[in-house]
Amino acid sequence: MSRHIIHWYQPIIQLDAGSILGYEALLRNVLNIYVSPQNLFKYAKKAGISLKLDTYSLQLAMKNANSMLNTLFVNVLPSTLLNKNFIRWWDNHINLSAPIVLELSEIEPVANWSDLKYTVSELHRRGVKIAIDDMGTGYSSLRHWCDLNPDFVKLDGYYINDLTKDNRKQRVIKSLLNLFENTADLIAEKIETQDELHVIRDLGVKYAQGYILGKPAPLQYIIKNLKGDDFEK
């Protein structure tokens, strides 16, 4: 499995400054780069190798971490953090060569919230930041995610679709901004049009990610771009 798995990187932009906060490391299969990370995790779960895929992804991301990328965002399943040996594994295998944010997804149910909260607190003690991915679309209550004291909250693309015309979705985003004020920053995902970009900026969202701001690309292309070179065609 591992020889076919790589990361592509997508920028996360700080809107008021127009600068790059960091990059999300997105899993890709070199045999078919168009298979989404979600489908890769679905396959891994079906094959019983979710933990193996997650830990490999974390090690690969840190191995390829580059100071030019600023903060590195890496997806991880809550079930991986709930493994009883995870913190020991982390201490033995992960060397923080760059700032890292672990994105916890709502795509699977959490078996034990108190244990997850403990693991997250241990990661915080080690200088790791936490993001909640896909906020508002998954299994768990908002209260539980708030209890984890995340540093970032990533707003699912559902709330961006038709956002420019949907006042209800705009009110939801305003409510989340108020809820997490002074504790966590919102990141709007899947921003694909200038109109969507203008609306989330006007609402007060600080960070955004999406094709209009930068598409996922291999690491060598990202580094070339950051150095001012042209991408290879």
Side-chain angles (χ1 to χ4, degrees), residues 65-85:
N66 186 300
S67 60
M68 295 182 70
L69 299 179
N70 298 331
T71 301
L72 191 61
F73 288 69
V74 186
N75 291 278
V76 64
L77 294 170
S79 58
T80 297
L81 270 58
L82 285 172
N83 183 280
K84 63 181 181 180
N85 296 316

Side-chain angles (χ1 to χ4, degrees), residues 179-221:
L179 178 64
F180 288 103
E181 185 179 13
N182 301 322
T183 61
D185 287 312
L186 254 62
I187 301 173
E189 295 186 285
K190 298 183 180 178
I191 304 299
E192 297 183 355
T193 70
Q194 284 290 344
D195 287 342
E196 291 168 350
L197 193 58
H198 290 152
V199 170
I200 63 163
R201 186 186 286 120
D202 290 344
L203 289 171
V205 177
K206 191 173 181 180
Y207 301 105
Q209 180 179 1
Y211 277 15
I212 195 172
L213 298 166
K215 295 181 179 181
L219 182 61
Q220 63 268 28
Y221 286 18

Side-chain angles (χ1 to χ4, degrees), residues 112-153:
N112 189 315
W113 280 99
S114 61
D115 285 357
L116 182 61
K117 185 176 180 180
Y118 170 78
T119 302
V120 165
S121 68
E122 287 296 306
L123 289 167
H124 270 138
R125 283 202 315 113
R126 288 159 172 79
V128 179
K129 293 187 176 182
I130 299 294
I132 306 304
D133 198 12
D134 313 310
M135 172 59 80
T137 62
Y139 287 95
S140 39
S141 72
L142 191 58
R143 178 182 67 83
H144 280 131
W145 290 118
C146 289
D147 285 345
L148 296 181
N149 296 315
D151 302 278
F152 298 95
V153 173

Side-chain angles (χ1 to χ4, degrees), residues 82-95:
L82 285 172
N83 183 280
K84 63 181 181 180
N85 296 316
F86 178 78
I87 291 296
R88 184 187 309 160
W89 175 88
W90 179 275
D91 290 339
N92 289 335
H93 292 88
I94 300 298
N95 178 24

